[in-house]
Amino acid sequence: MSKLKYIIFFLTLLFSWEEVFSQEKDLGFILDSLELNSKADVYHAPFYDIDKKETVSTISTITGDELSNSSFLNLSDALQGKLSGLQLMSTTGEPGTNASYLSIRGKSSTTDYAPLVLVDGIARDWVDLNPEEIESITVLKDMTAKAIYGLNAANGVVLITTKRGISNKLKITVGYEQGIKTPTTKPEFLAADEYASLYNTARSNDGLAPHYTDDEIKAYRNGTDPILYPNNDYYGYAMKNDVTYRKGYLNFIGGSKKSNYFVHLGYVGQDGLENVGTTSSYDRINIRTNLGMKLTDVITGVVDVSGRVELYNTPNLSSGDYFNLLSTTRPNEYPIFIHKGGSRETDILGGSLHQPKNIYGELNYTGYDKNVDRSIQTRFGFDLDFNEHIMGLSADVYVAVDGSNTFEYGKDEGYNSYMPLAKTDDGYDLFQVKQGAKTDDQVRKTNSDYFSNTFYGNINYDRTFREKHKLSVNALGYRQTVSTSTQFYFIKTLHAGLNANYTFKNKYVLEGSSVWVGTNKLAKDKRVANSSAVGAGWIISNEGFLEENKILTHLKIKGSAGLMAYDPTIWTYMHLQRYGDGGVLVLGENNSVSRNTLIAHREENMELSYEQALELNLGIEVELFDALALEVNYFDNARKDMITNYAAVYPDYYGNDGAYFNNNSTLSEGIEGAISYNKTFGDIRLNIGANLMYQQTKWEDVLQMENLPEGMNQENRPIDGMYGYRNQGLFQSDNLARFSPSQTFGTVGAGDIRYQDINGDGVINNDDQEYIGNTSPTLSYGIQFGISYKNVNLFVAGAGFAGHYRYNDSKYYQMSGLDNYSEVARNSWTPELGADATYPALTTTKGENNYVTSDFWLEKADFFRIKNVEVGYTLPRKESRKFESKFFIRANNLFEVSAAENKNVDPERPNSGITEFPIMRSYTMGINLNI
């Protein structure tokens, strides 16, 4: 124990622990990565090599080459379904902004569940990396694997290792592909005549006279007067069916006995969906150079430099606003053109009082945005090999400097729009509803900077004694400083720790980690904590009674447990009293004096401390015939002392937030498994893999109001639970609504949603709400199938999610007042349709009764999607042809199978193409050359 103290003391001195905690700055995180060694059975874990069959850690790995058969713009989408325990849900297909939601073994909290992602040991932007520059991606899931990574690692760790050179002759790889992308789904909205007819139905339901006459509805249908009676298909007019996608890369890899190098140049680009006006475009260039040089027998120098430039040009209209205009504007709202003159000065654009924004004007005459995002990432260091002097001893030390800048500029312009009132002898009587003008001034809109510098090092001792005792011990330390142009303080982090693995006779394994961590975000006596883990394993297949077995070639059971401190939910000065704007106090005669005031926004709590993660993992690994591999792990994770505040249970006059304190806790339990089969049969090579995870997290203790109805009590229920009313279908008559329990949410009549009186008191109000479903998948799975025959290959991969619900609360489903109508409205309640209706009666009011949270709007969200398909043909290298070439066709997001009834809505992102950029399906073809 005394030696451990001396090592930690040495490391803390080396990395200036005192400097970090002497300043009131924020604290971040940094660590070195685990990378897959060139030998398939060896991991390069935190600063040391270890046989993957001798570790008790739970780890999943995939190579960059295995991800290069996809055409996604970002790396996260390419990972979906590929690694057990790694759960990804797509967000949007918009270029440059479409990173997936990422979690490892599910969500342990409602606030921060993202894992720590490291690129070559540095916490960096990663979703814009190209698969062709990546050696491996490794996911660390249990405590023995991730404890050493410090405060940010409790949610799991994703380690990305980029490619490095090899001591060999120069090898050049080059590739290019191009194709189209199209939205996976396209929402359907009603034409003007059908909308007008159903709007009359809504007025009839409200006891009002029809708004549209039969002749007007006929005019919408026939298009006899498109100015007064327009019939617009905004999606068909303003959005393309598909866009062009392109990607190219060039790699150089090689070296000599003394040096090695890897150089990558990559490009991806995609056009925008806008069919008129300024069309958006996205272009990204990635550059990387990784160099290594043996300076002496002991010292190897490493220099890594990478850069990225993103250019994203758009109309002066966000993608969300663009799709909101397409989806919410009624088909008869306005004529797009009253007069088409071909310029801002001669065009007369339509508009209305309800919607003065014209889709053509928004795309053509509001200006533009140009976004330039630049980043550079560097890493310099030395690997020290003392093996010739002290067997098994090595060390390394590195400095990393990263910087990025985001710059946005453009023009903010306007235009005029008019509402046609009536036809006149010389045209139409117009009323102006929007005014704007052209400008020649280009303006800077945003400019932000990011900078970080990191220093880390380790000492490694790895040796086998008497051919029985294999020992690997590592002491390590880290320091990082981060600053941005939007913060007035630096974010600093520092931690030091030990990792050890001991194997006896290649049969019995002990492994442990311990790291001291700290942050200056908390009070001085709460800043330092310890995270530790321990595990054990038994490699049964190495026992004498199985050693010569040709069937069961590997069998291991393992277990690990640990306790970690966690701080991403803590922000700067969270424990201190905070004051904020309290409004204006008016005093004096005739209220002639005013004074600004301050009020307490947060109470002080000097006892605030870290969240704690306590985890258990039990696993088994099996391999048969050196071909079939299976791994199954059971995990039980608990989060304690989660940070919350009194805002949820205290009245407003107590203060906006109240004090933050440690209170909530969750329990997460699950099982994950992965199976793979790899075999060659003559000219046929077969690779099959699948992974599955079942997991759910529930509240063990949660701050909530006292004396809640049992149905609203969150304890022992999923942390992603939804609470609302149980529906009993639709009222089929006004009398049934009148004599049923009183619903207190608004006027109720025939065709409205009928709710269950849970407590039986004859009144339906807040006391009748209960748990109605969960929003996060409890089951996630993936499949991969690859087969090749001679020079032809086929690869298919898919991902699926189940055990959750989606809540249909967008305007595509919940329509009222002057909202646009989607195809869902066709099956709204009418006396004729009666019990066959699947949608409430349309209304011109707000429809408050129907749109309170209830299970009427819940829908099972289970789906399976084919993520990747590739068919390729390889021309081998011959004397007359000095290179190997591969021709391929690929498809991404090819099709999906969903439990949802409505196939016009994407099962993964219900708002895709409605309020946000859609998820895209792609078809590409290309060529790769190995020279």
Side-chain angles (χ1 to χ4, degrees):
M1 186 67 184
S2 60
K3 292 183 178 179
L4 171 62
K5 292 181 178 179
Y6 289 142
I7 293 172
I8 295 176
F9 178 72
F10 166 76
L11 289 169
T12 54
L13 286 178
L14 179 63
F15 296 100
S16 307
W17 186 287
E18 177 65 24
E19 181 180 342
V20 175
F21 296 106
S22 64
Q23 303 182 46
E24 286 296 325
K25 308 294 184 184
D26 203 7
L27 198 67
F29 181 79
I30 185 61
L31 270 183
D32 195 40
S33 70
L34 177 155
E35 65 185 34
L36 191 64
N37 193 278
S38 58
K39 294 168 63 178
D41 290 336
V42 176
Y43 286 115
H44 184 56
F47 312 103
Y48 67 100
D49 291 337
I50 185 169
D51 190 318
K52 69 179 183 181
K53 293 184 178 180
E54 293 179 354
T55 179
V56 302
S57 299
T58 304
I59 299 171
S60 299
T61 297
I62 192 170
T63 67
D65 292 340
E66 294 176 86
L67 298 174
S68 62
N69 53 20
S70 66
S71 302
F72 295 108
L73 280 175
N74 74 82
L75 187 60
S76 60
D77 278 349
L79 286 168
Q80 192 178 60
K82 299 290 180 62
L83 293 167
S84 66
L86 183 64
Q87 193 175 80
L88 297 102
M89 296 290 285
S90 299
T91 54
T92 169
E94 183 175 6
T97 62
N98 54 336
S100 298
Y101 292 127
L102 193 68
S103 65
I104 295 176
R105 290 185 166 178
K107 303 175 181 178
S108 294
S109 72
T110 58
T111 52
D112 191 298
Y113 51 84
L116 172 67
V117 181
L118 304 176
V119 180
D120 290 331
I122 313 296
R124 290 169 162 167
D125 290 339
W126 63 280
V127 295
D128 292 324
L129 293 175
N130 294 328
E132 292 76 18
E133 60 184 307
I134 293 173
E135 179 66 31
S136 66
I137 298 178
T138 301
V139 177
L140 311 181
K141 292 171 280 189
D142 76 315
M143 277 290 185
T144 55
K146 65 187 180 181
I148 197 68
Y149 287 83
L151 283 172
N152 294 17
N155 291 334
V157 183
V158 178
L159 304 168
I160 300 175
T161 302
T162 61
K163 291 181 177 179
R164 307 206 63 82
I166 55 176
S167 298
N168 204 338
K169 66 178 182 179
L170 171 64
K171 178 183 177 182
I172 302 174
T173 59
V174 59
Y176 183 80
E177 67 177 302
Q178 184 164 324
I180 62 170
K181 291 194 172 188
T182 184
T184 55
T185 55
K186 187 175 182 179
E188 180 186 354
F189 292 91
L190 305 186
D193 58 319
E194 192 173 9
Y195 166 81
S197 178
L198 285 177
Y199 186 75
N200 282 347
T201 300
R203 289 180 62 85
S204 175
N205 294 336
D206 296 336
L208 303 174
H211 180 75
Y212 298 101
T213 66
D214 291 341
D215 288 340
E216 289 174 327
I217 293 174
K218 185 177 180 180
Y220 285 128
R221 183 181 304 117
N222 297 335
T224 52
D225 188 346
I227 304 302
L228 290 179
Y229 303 102
N231 186 1
N232 296 318
D233 174 9
Y234 299 104
Y235 281 87
Y237 172 76
M239 193 180 87
K240 298 176 184 176
N241 291 323
D242 54 68
V243 300
T244 301
Y245 166 85
R246 52 208 170 267
K247 173 183 176 181
Y249 72 92
L250 176 64
N251 285 351
F252 298 90
I253 184 168
S256 64
K257 292 182 179 180
K258 294 289 187 179
S259 63
N260 60 75
Y261 57 87
F262 171 77
V263 179
H264 170 79
L265 176 63
Y267 165 80
V268 292
Q270 180 175 308
D271 297 334
L273 282 167
E274 300 86 359
N275 197 38
V276 296
T278 302
T279 301
S280 60
S281 64
Y282 174 81
D283 298 279
R284 186 182 78 224
I285 297 174
N286 292 50
I287 300 174
R288 175 176 299 278
T289 300
N290 291 346
L291 304 176
M293 180 171 290
K294 194 171 183 62
L295 303 177
T296 70
D297 291 339
V298 173
I299 303 173
T300 298
V302 175
V303 177
D304 297 343
V305 180
S306 65
R308 173 179 51 84
V309 177
E310 289 182 272
L311 305 175
Y312 191 24
N313 302 323
T314 67
N316 192 15
L317 184 72
S318 71
S319 62
D321 290 340
Y322 170 65
F323 283 99
N324 267 307
L325 275 178
L326 297 182
S327 63
T328 62
T329 307
R330 298 176 296 177
N332 63 341
E333 193 71 56
Y334 55 73
I336 296 176
F337 288 98
I338 298 173
H339 173 74
K340 191 171 184 178
S343 68
R344 185 194 306 266
E345 292 72 27
T346 57
D347 280 342
I348 301 177
L349 304 180
S352 72
L353 292 173
H354 179 63
Q355 179 54 278
K357 293 182 178 180
N358 179 286
I359 185 63
Y360 182 87
E362 292 295 309
L363 292 174
N364 278 267
Y365 299 141
T366 58
Y368 58 83
D369 279 344
K370 292 184 179 293
N371 294 268
V372 182
D373 192 354
R374 293 163 291 197
S375 70
I376 185 169
Q377 301 172 348
T378 65
R379 190 177 72 135
F380 311 94
F382 300 98
D383 294 332
L384 309 175
D385 185 358
F386 302 108
N387 190 62
E388 292 187 3
H389 307 282
I390 302 177
M391 185 177 295
L393 182 64
S394 63
D396 57 51
V397 59
Y398 281 89
V399 174
V401 179
D402 294 355
S404 66
N405 169 263
T406 298
F407 183 67
E408 179 185 358
Y409 66 97
K411 282 187 178 183
D412 294 324
E413 298 181 316
Y415 60 92
N416 301 327
S417 67
Y418 302 85
M419 182 173 67
L421 301 177
K423 196 168 187 177
T424 64
D425 293 337
D426 57 351
Y428 293 89
D429 187 14
L430 304 178
F431 177 76
Q432 186 170 357
V433 293
K434 188 178 187 305
Q435 186 175 10
K438 176 179 172 56
T439 178
D440 293 326
D441 297 329
Q442 185 171 270
V443 298
R444 182 175 69 179
K445 297 187 175 183
T446 60
N447 185 24
S448 60
D449 299 300
Y450 169 91
F451 176 80
S452 72
N453 64 75
T454 306
F455 177 74
Y456 67 85
N458 86 102
I459 301 172
N460 175 38
Y461 185 70
D462 190 353
R463 188 171 177 180
T464 300
F465 299 90
R466 297 180 181 178
E467 299 181 353
K468 296 180 180 180
H469 308 279
K470 186 176 180 180
L471 178 65
S472 178
V473 180
N474 304 271
L476 49 114
Y478 312 87
R479 177 183 177 183
Q480 184 187 48
T481 301
V482 174
S483 65
T484 70
S485 56
T486 59
Q487 296 173 330
F488 63 90
Y489 51 83
F490 292 105
I491 302 172
K492 291 188 176 183
T493 185
L494 180 71
H495 70 269
L498 290 174
N499 178 279
N501 177 281
Y502 170 72
T503 305
F504 179 65
K505 291 185 176 181
N506 295 323
K507 301 175 185 179
Y508 315 109
V509 184
L510 291 176
E511 196 166 330
S513 298
S514 182
V515 58
W516 290 96
V517 298
T519 177
N520 59 349
K521 299 176 186 177
L522 298 171
K524 289 184 178 181
D525 60 343
K526 300 293 181 180
R527 292 178 179 176
V528 179
N530 178 263
S531 294
S532 297
V534 64
W538 179 22
I539 308 173
I540 304 173
S541 54
N542 286 346
E543 293 287 358
F545 56 87
L546 286 176
E547 196 168 13
E548 300 300 326
N549 192 294
K550 302 299 182 181
I551 299 175
L552 186 60
T553 51
H554 177 66
L555 176 62
K556 178 174 67 177
I557 57 175
K558 59 185 180 180
S560 64
L563 178 67
M564 293 182 64
Y566 182 63
D567 91 324
T569 56
I570 303 173
W571 34 273
T572 310
Y573 312 130
M574 199 176 191
H575 59 290
L576 297 179
Q577 175 84 51
R578 179 175 177 266
Y579 292 88
D581 183 16
V584 177
L585 178 65
V586 180
L587 303 168
E589 186 177 353
N590 298 322
N591 294 330
S592 58
V593 179
S594 62
R595 294 288 185 268
N596 293 327
T597 64
L598 294 175
I599 61 172
H601 278 211
R602 182 173 67 244
E603 295 292 329
E604 177 184 278
N605 179 15
M606 303 301 289
E607 296 301 313
L608 188 69
S609 61
Y610 293 112
E611 183 177 316
Q612 301 291 322
L614 178 62
E615 299 184 8
L616 170 70
N617 187 90
L618 301 173
I620 182 172
E621 300 173 16
V622 180
E623 188 175 298
L624 301 174
F625 304 104
D626 283 323
L628 179 65
L630 171 69
E631 180 174 355
V632 178
N633 288 277
Y634 164 81
F635 54 90
D636 194 332
N637 303 338
R639 290 291 175 91
K640 306 290 184 180
D641 298 331
M642 300 171 72
I643 296 175
T644 186
N645 62 55
Y646 293 110
V649 296
Y650 276 35
D652 289 343
Y653 58 75
Y654 182 80
N656 286 351
D657 291 334
Y660 285 89
F661 64 103
N662 302 97
N663 180 80
N664 294 353
S665 60
T666 64
L667 290 174
S668 174
E669 187 177 24
I671 187 170
E672 66 174 30
I675 187 171
S676 63
Y677 180 76
N678 300 280
K679 192 72 173 178
T680 298
F681 305 92
D683 292 330
I684 298 175
R685 295 180 296 278
L686 186 63
N687 302 277
I688 302 174
N691 62 80
L692 180 144
M693 180 182 71
Y694 176 82
Q695 178 273 342
Q696 189 167 57
T697 303
K698 295 183 178 182
W699 290 112
E700 181 186 34
D701 185 21
V702 60
L703 181 67
Q704 56 185 342
M705 298 289 290
E706 295 183 358
N707 303 317
L708 285 172
E710 178 56 32
M712 292 292 288
N713 184 2
Q714 297 180 62
E715 290 185 3
N716 298 316
R717 289 198 169 106
I719 63 172
D720 59 332
M722 291 179 287
Y723 296 82
Y725 300 93
R726 294 287 181 185
N727 87 92
Q728 295 181 306
L730 303 175
F731 287 113
Q732 297 301 315
S733 68
D734 289 336
N735 279 338
L736 181 60
R738 187 177 303 115
F739 293 107
S740 294
S742 175
Q743 300 185 179
T744 59
F745 318 120
T747 304
V748 180
D752 289 325
I753 299 176
R754 181 183 182 184
Y755 300 111
Q756 184 178 351
D757 185 9
I758 297 294
N759 61 8
D761 64 356
V763 177
I764 299 176
N765 53 23
N766 290 340
D767 293 337
D768 295 292
Q769 295 184 84
E770 65 177 14
Y771 170 78
I772 58 176
N774 58 287
T775 59
S776 298
T778 57
L779 181 69
S780 59
Y781 55 96
I783 63 167
Q784 299 88 42
F785 173 82
I787 186 171
S788 64
Y789 175 71
K790 293 185 177 180
N791 300 331
V792 180
N793 74 280
L794 168 68
F795 176 78
V796 180
F801 301 88
H804 65 303
Y805 295 85
R806 73 183 190 199
Y807 191 74
N808 295 322
D809 60 348
S810 72
K811 289 296 184 181
Y812 196 79
Y813 289 95
Q814 297 189 3
M815 299 163 280
S816 61
L818 296 178
D819 291 339
N820 192 21
Y821 288 170
S822 73
E823 40 85 18
V824 176
R826 289 175 178 149
N827 211 33
S828 60
W829 186 91
T830 62
E832 296 76 21
L833 199 57
D836 292 331
T838 59
Y839 188 83
L842 296 173
T843 179
T844 59
T845 69
K846 293 181 179 180
E848 292 94 339
N849 177 82
N850 296 331
Y851 300 137
V852 296
T853 303
S854 76
D855 64 351
F856 184 89
W857 303 105
L858 279 186
E859 187 174 22
K860 287 188 71 65
D862 304 353
F863 74 94
F864 172 79
R865 196 193 303 270
I866 294 295
K867 294 292 294 183
N868 309 97
V869 176
E870 178 189 88
V871 178
Y873 178 76
T874 301
L875 287 173
R877 193 189 310 264
K878 294 183 179 180
E879 290 186 8
S880 59
R881 184 172 57 247
K882 299 300 183 182
F883 56 87
E884 179 183 80
S885 57
K886 176 182 177 180
F887 302 88
F888 59 84
I889 57 174
R890 292 172 179 163
N892 294 134
N893 290 335
L894 184 59
F895 69 87
E896 55 278 329
V897 179
S898 170
E901 294 184 6
N902 195 322
K903 305 307 179 184
N904 293 324
V905 176
D906 190 275
E908 191 170 5
R909 295 292 296 178
N911 288 326
S912 174
I914 300 173
T915 61
E916 62 190 27
F917 199 98
I919 294 177
M920 303 294 281
R921 177 176 292 123
S922 67
Y923 307 92
T924 65
M925 61 187 305
I927 182 174
N928 293 333
L929 301 177
N930 292 327
I931 303 173

